[in-house]
């Protein structure tokens, strides 16, 4: 396959490395010269482009698949809309207007689109109920990724990431030192987040090319796949486990109401704090992906070994 990774950052770099290792041609796209240099250091081609600029996207070569994994940099809803809605639509319109249209468009979203389920389980069939302006933007982008991509003849799909962690993003001290507010953690290691996207790209291409006995049945019945590990965990239990593994005392705990009582949270942060769910990865197993880090126990081992070193 020829694959373009738009917004080739934390997960995109690992995705590019995995695709190249498996013999695919990859081009990474970033808006900054520094980002381009980082891609080249990772061992594959790079193009400096702003994904919201249709004319600039002409610099990206024709590909079989486009992965839209751009980030708004943690900014607010308007910045998110500029990237995830405007940028995604611009990308689809641009590549869909080419003589050689990509066969696949994959957009990476977030499990934040589910809203609050009071700790109950959710999966790909659960209706989404975004509770913040930013997660509403992500939900709109999911619709664009599937419906608008289809209008241009592309197979559009969505991979919803749980909380990302991994090299440079373990944030171990945050839980070991505390205080830790109650709730559930739904997590996915960076390498598996990239691996799941790579798996969907390859498996979808194989089915389209007739290399799968189940074609034309879709790989993803609702065009959506949850990227989450095998064990959503209580934040309190996770923090206690980390502390014990690191040889530290159990951290201080606080309830949601105790955290809210401090009065220093923004309204969106308060809504996020009140949002609780556990994400199921049953479909991930059904389609055949094997997790490199099935739970936080395997995923945090490297960070624990490095702790205090």
């Amino acid at each position: 396959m020829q694959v373009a990774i738009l917004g080739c950052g934390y997960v995109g770099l690992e995705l590019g490395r995995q695709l190249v290792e498996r013999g695919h041609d990859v081009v990474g796209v970033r808006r900054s010269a520094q980002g381009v240099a980082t891609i080249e250091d990772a061992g594959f081609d790079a193009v400096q482009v702003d994904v919201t600029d249709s004319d600039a996207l002409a610099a990206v070569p024709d590909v079989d698949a486009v992965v839209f994994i751009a980030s708004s940099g943690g900014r607010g809803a308007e910045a998110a809309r500029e990237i995830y809605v405007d940028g995604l639509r611009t990308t689809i319109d641009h590549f869909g207007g080419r003589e050689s249209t990509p066969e696949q468009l994959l957009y990476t979203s977030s499990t934040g689109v589910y809203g609050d389920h009071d700790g109950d389980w959710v999966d790909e069939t659960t209706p989404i109920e975004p509770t913040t302006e930013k997660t509403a933007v992500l939900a709109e982008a999911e619709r664009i990724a599937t419906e608008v991509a289809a209008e241009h003849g592309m197979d559009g799909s969505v991979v919803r990431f749980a909380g990302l962690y991994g090299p440079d993003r373990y944030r171990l001290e945050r839980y070991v030192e505390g205080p830790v507010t109650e709730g559930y953690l739904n997590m996915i290691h960076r390498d598996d987040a990239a691996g799941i996207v790579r798996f969907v790209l390859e498996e979808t291409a194989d089915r389209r090319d007739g290399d799968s006995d189940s074609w034309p049945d879709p790989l993803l019945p609702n065009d959506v796949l949850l990227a989450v590990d095998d064990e959503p965990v209580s934040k309190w239990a996770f923090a206690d486990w980390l502390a014990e593994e690191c040889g530290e005392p159990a951290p201080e705990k606080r309830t949601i109401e105790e955290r809210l009582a401090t009065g220093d949270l923004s309204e969106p942060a308060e809504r996020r704090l009140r949002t609780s769910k556990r994400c199921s990865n049953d479909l991930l197993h059904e389609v055949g992906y094997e997790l490199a880090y099935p739970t936080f126990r395997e995923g945090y081992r490297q960070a624990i070994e490095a702790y205090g070193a």
Side-chain angles (χ1 to χ4, degrees):
M1 280 189 297
Q2 289 77 42
V3 182
I5 305 172
L6 275 60
C8 191
Y10 187 61
V11 176
L13 288 167
E14 176 61 22
L15 171 61
R17 285 189 286 261
Q18 292 187 22
L19 287 168
V20 168
E21 287 175 1
R22 295 171 68 88
H24 303 293
D25 295 326
V26 181
V27 58
V29 177
R30 292 281 289 273
R31 69 169 67 189
S32 70
Q34 182 179 0
V36 165
T38 302
I39 294 169
E40 292 172 341
D41 288 344
F44 50 100
D45 292 337
V47 177
Q48 186 175 351
V49 166
D50 184 335
V51 298
T52 64
D53 186 339
S54 181
D55 292 337
L57 284 169
V60 182
D62 288 342
V63 291
D64 302 309
V66 173
V67 178
F68 194 94
I69 196 169
S71 170
S72 63
R75 295 175 291 164
E78 286 307 309
R81 176 169 293 279
E82 179 184 1
I83 299 297
Y84 302 129
V85 172
D86 300 339
L88 180 58
R89 186 180 288 276
T90 296
T91 295
I92 292 173
D93 288 344
H94 172 84
F95 282 95
R98 290 188 177 190
E99 183 176 346
S100 179
T101 302
E103 294 172 319
Q104 293 189 60
L105 182 285
L106 190 150
Y107 165 68
T108 59
S109 185
S110 164
T111 56
V113 297
Y114 284 108
D116 181 34
H117 286 266
D118 197 26
D120 285 344
W121 288 92
V122 299
D123 62 18
E124 291 81 359
T125 66
T126 305
I128 60 176
E129 299 175 357
T131 56
T132 67
E133 288 184 54
K134 189 168 183 178
T135 52
V137 167
L138 297 178
E140 184 178 352
E142 289 191 6
R143 182 192 63 78
I144 292 170
T146 53
E147 296 179 9
V148 179
E151 293 170 3
H152 289 282
M154 289 182 272
D155 291 330
S157 56
V158 174
V159 173
R160 290 179 185 147
F161 289 157
L164 292 165
Y165 74 99
D168 300 320
R169 288 199 186 181
Y170 286 107
R171 304 182 181 94
L172 189 147
E173 289 80 6
R174 170 184 171 187
Y175 292 98
V176 171
E177 296 174 3
V180 179
T181 303
E182 66 181 325
Y184 280 108
L185 285 171
N186 297 277
M187 296 186 283
I188 190 72
H189 191 283
R190 177 205 64 183
D191 293 3
D192 277 319
I196 291 164
V197 172
R198 186 261 309 156
F199 176 86
V200 172
L201 292 174
E202 291 182 329
E203 188 70 13
T204 301
D206 286 347
R207 289 166 185 249
R208 184 174 55 247
D209 294 339
D211 295 333
S212 171
D213 292 338
S214 60
W215 182 259
D217 291 340
L219 174 66
L220 310 178
N222 296 313
D223 298 322
V224 174
L225 182 65
L226 277 174
V228 63
D229 69 18
D230 289 344
E231 191 176 336
V233 61
S234 154
K235 292 178 183 178
W236 288 357
F238 175 67
D240 283 348
W241 176 83
L242 269 183
E244 182 177 359
E245 292 293 312
C246 292
E248 300 286 354
E252 176 189 349
K253 315 293 194 308
R254 58 188 175 190
T255 65
I256 291 174
E257 293 307 318
E258 287 171 336
R259 178 66 182 94
L260 292 172
T262 62
D264 60 352
L265 292 174
S266 66
E267 184 178 345
E270 286 192 15
R271 285 199 293 267
R272 285 195 298 271
L273 193 62
R274 296 181 185 276
T275 298
S276 179
K277 61 187 176 294
R278 284 174 287 173
C279 298
S280 167
N281 68 0
D282 286 351
L283 180 58
L284 183 66
H285 286 290
E286 288 175 19
V287 299
Y289 181 79
E290 296 184 7
L291 289 158
Y293 301 96
T295 75
F296 58 88
R297 297 177 188 84
E298 297 84 8
Y300 268 81
R301 185 52 50 194
Q302 178 184 359
I304 291 167
E305 292 174 354
Y307 181 79

